[in-house]
Amino acid sequence: MTVDRSTGSVTVRAVFENKDRVPLPGMFVRARIEEGVNPRALLVPVAGVTHDQKGTPVAMVVDKDGRAAMRPLVTSGMSGQNWIVERGVAAGERVIVEGIDEVRPGMTVKAVPASAPRALPAAGARKEGDTHRWPSFSSIARSSRG
C-alpha cells in the first residue's frame, strides 16, 4: 500500500475473484476498507448531530427526567447516513433526530419513536444478533417549556 501525500490517494493491490471481468485491468475503483472495529462505537443518524460554536459535534438526548441534554461527541467517521460515535452517547439513549432546531438544553420534551428508519447499516455492518449494541433513536413530537 502506498499513499500519495499530495492528493491523499491510496494505492492498494488486491486479489479477488472476477468472473464477469469487471473491472478490467488498469481500471480504478473506489473501495471502503474496514480498518478495524470498535465494538463500543455506536451509529447516530446524521440528522441527530449538529456542531457547537467551536465546531465540536454534539447531539441532543432525552434524559431520564424527559429533559433535553446536549452531549459533546467524539466521532471517527461516517457509515452511510450515520456518524460513527466513539464517545458521548450510550447504547439505548434516545437521540433527538427531528425538531432539533426547536429544542434547548433543559427543556422538557415528549419523545416518540422516529417515524422511519434513517438508513440501513452500510454493507459489511454488523447484523442483529451479534455483540454490537445499536442505540435507539427518538424524534421530538411536541415540546413543552417547563
Side-chain angles (χ1 to χ4, degrees):
M1 180 170 81
T2 59
V3 178
D4 182 335
R5 291 180 186 256
S6 64
T7 64
S9 294
V10 177
T11 302
V12 178
R13 186 175 201 86
V15 178
F16 56 92
E17 192 173 323
N18 188 13
K19 290 185 216 177
D20 298 328
R21 300 207 176 272
V22 177
L24 297 172
M27 292 179 80
F28 291 88
V29 297
R30 290 189 183 269
R32 183 176 183 115
I33 300 171
E34 190 172 288
E35 300 172 40
V37 176
N38 180 344
R40 292 181 302 270
L42 301 172
L43 298 178
V44 175
V46 170
V49 178
T50 59
H51 292 81
D52 66 11
Q53 297 87 348
K54 295 179 183 177
T56 302
V58 295
M60 294 291 281
V61 299
V62 181
D63 69 15
K64 61 181 172 32
D65 298 323
R67 295 191 179 274
M70 184 179 294
R71 298 277 181 77
L73 305 175
V74 175
T75 61
S76 62
M78 293 192 71
S79 177
Q81 294 294 311
N82 300 292
W83 282 101
I84 301 169
V85 177
E86 303 287 331
R87 287 192 311 267
V89 293
E93 285 193 300
R94 298 173 295 171
V95 175
I96 299 171
V97 297
E98 294 175 11
I100 195 167
D101 54 336
E102 300 170 16
V103 178
R104 302 291 173 257
M107 180 184 282
T108 301
V109 296
K110 179 180 179 187
V112 297
S115 55
R118 293 290 174 244
L120 294 173
R126 296 174 182 265
K127 305 292 184 245
E128 185 176 340
D130 64 11
T131 59
H132 189 77
R133 297 176 300 170
W134 299 94
S136 61
F137 302 105
S138 295
S139 63
I140 294 303
R142 176 179 44 216
S143 63
S144 58
R145 298 176 195 265

